[in-house]
Amino acid sequence: MLSRAKSASGRFGPSRAKSAYAWFRAFRRTRPFWGGVWLVAGGWTVLKFSLSSLQLIVSTGFGGVAGYLVGGGMILCGLIPLALPAQRYTFGLIGAVLAVVSLVVSNLGGFLLGMALGVLGGSMTVGWGAKRPRRRAVEG
């Protein structure tokens, strides 16, 4: 009975939490994490303020669907650089352009909040660079 409790605490104990945090920290530092998060948040905001009934979307045509396309595109442009950091320039730029386009096609870009988050996230994604190792100070 004691060994079973000990093995259960070994699976979910503090060492497991520390290793999970170490993995997340390494993941976050090797990808444009915060740029992707802000871009996804902006896309979600644009998508949220674009939601309306299906009958209204079908009757308005492309104008009704454009909010969904732009919001979904912003979310994808935020998630792809997290999986493929080498593509950060392409998808950061596309995400920032979609954020500006959302100003016209989707309720002022999610009432300016989604557009601002999308432009911030896109620019952070483009501007991200891999962390360089520190140089040691020259002693003399």
Side-chain angles (χ1 to χ4, degrees), residues 5-20:
K6 193 174 190 179
S7 68
S9 68
R11 277 189 285 175
F12 304 109
S15 64
R16 177 86 167 173
K18 283 183 182 181
S19 65

Side-chain angles (χ1 to χ4, degrees), residues 2-140:
L2 183 60
S3 64
R4 182 180 243 177
K6 193 174 190 179
S7 68
S9 68
R11 277 189 285 175
F12 304 109
S15 64
R16 177 86 167 173
K18 283 183 182 181
S19 65
Y21 180 73
W23 176 85
F24 179 69
R25 185 175 181 194
F27 176 83
R28 192 182 67 217
R29 290 178 181 249
T30 58
R31 285 156 170 67
F33 180 76
W34 290 111
V37 167
W38 290 121
L39 199 50
V40 167
W44 181 82
T45 305
V46 168
L47 198 60
K48 177 82 171 150
F49 287 119
S50 296
L51 294 178
S52 53
S53 69
L54 187 61
Q55 290 176 346
L56 179 66
I57 291 170
V58 171
S59 67
T60 58
F62 181 73
V65 176
Y68 287 103
L69 294 176
V70 169
M74 286 172 63
I75 290 172
L76 283 177
C77 286
L79 293 175
I80 289 173
L82 295 178
L84 302 167
Q87 300 298 322
R88 68 184 182 272
Y89 295 116
T90 304
F91 289 101
L93 185 63
I94 292 171
V97 168
L98 285 174
V100 172
V101 168
S102 74
L103 182 67
V104 178
V105 299
S106 172
N107 293 334
L108 291 175
F111 297 114
L112 299 177
L113 179 65
M115 185 195 73
L117 291 174
V119 169
L120 174 70
S123 61
M124 286 177 73
T125 302
V126 169
W128 176 82
K131 188 173 181 181
R132 297 182 190 145
R134 290 186 183 187
R135 279 199 241 169
R136 295 174 45 183
V138 177
E139 295 180 24

